Amino acid sequence: MVQTFDITDDEVGKKVVDADGEAVGMVTEVRHGTAYVDAEPGLKDKLMAKLGWEHTDEDAYPLQKSEIDAITDDEIRLRQM
C-alpha cells in the first residue's frame, strides 16, 4: 500500500534527498498541496527524468506525492528509483 502525504507550507525550506540520502534540492514553495523543489546544481539528468523534471525556465520543479517515501521535521526522502 502506497502511503500518501499531506503537503503543507510546513515543508517549505526542507531539503529533499534521494533514497541514499543525497541532496536533490530544497522545497521553495507549496501550491495546492504540491511541493516545488529548487533542484541542486548538477543533479543528474537521469534522476531528473525519473522525477519528471524537464529542463524548463521554471525555478522550481513539482514533486509528485507518489515519489515521496517519508517526510520528517527536516527533510523529504524520495522512494528508491
Side-chain angles (χ1 to χ4, degrees), residues 17-76:
V17 298
D18 66 13
D20 297 323
E22 295 294 320
V24 171
M26 180 175 287
V27 177
T28 56
E29 72 176 298
V30 173
R31 283 187 258 153
H32 308 290
T34 299
Y36 284 79
V37 179
D38 182 13
E40 286 288 322
L43 186 61
K44 296 192 179 0
D45 288 338
K46 184 177 179 180
L47 178 58
M48 289 188 74
K50 285 184 179 181
L51 291 170
W53 295 352
E54 303 296 327
H55 290 286
T56 66
D57 293 334
E58 296 290 323
D59 291 335
Y61 300 92
L63 178 60
Q64 302 302 314
K65 292 179 184 178
S66 62
E67 300 296 338
I68 299 172
D69 183 50
I71 298 177
T72 68
D73 290 340
D74 302 319
E75 69 183 22
I76 296 177

Side-chain angles (χ1 to χ4, degrees), residues 4-8 11 33 65 71:
T4 59
F5 297 93
D6 291 326
I7 306 297
T8 68
E11 275 56 78
K65 292 179 184 178
I71 298 177

